[in-house]
Amino acid sequence: MALEITDQSFQEVVLNSDKPVLVDFWAVWCGPCRMLGPIVEEIATDFEGKAVVGKVDVDNNQQVSVDYGIRNIPTVLIFKNGQVVDKIVGVASKEVISEKLSAHL
């Protein structure tokens, strides 16, 4: 199950993580985000214990969205050691996202 990440928890959950972190920036009203949601949940299960997988609702957590220049959703950022190491804008397949996350394990 993907974690719900907020402006308040972002530092602790994402930037201070000792594992790679995949963050899905999404919104309830976004059709493509709803398509990507089940894929992100599957990846969360597949990478349990190896990586952190979370979601940021851009409507409720605008600060972190502004900080990372999120203009289009869905956007997936992969962090390692507190730095963005990869980015996917739009809907991508589970295989593509898994490959990108695996590259940073």
Side-chain angles (χ1 to χ4, degrees), residues 56-81:
V56 173
D57 182 332
V58 297
D59 288 335
N60 297 328
N61 300 285
Q62 295 180 359
Q63 188 56 54
V64 101
S65 303
V66 168
D67 290 349
Y68 287 94
I70 304 301
R71 302 220 184 294
N72 300 305
I73 53 173
T75 292
V76 173
L77 297 181
I78 298 173
F79 291 80
K80 187 168 187 177
N81 301 321

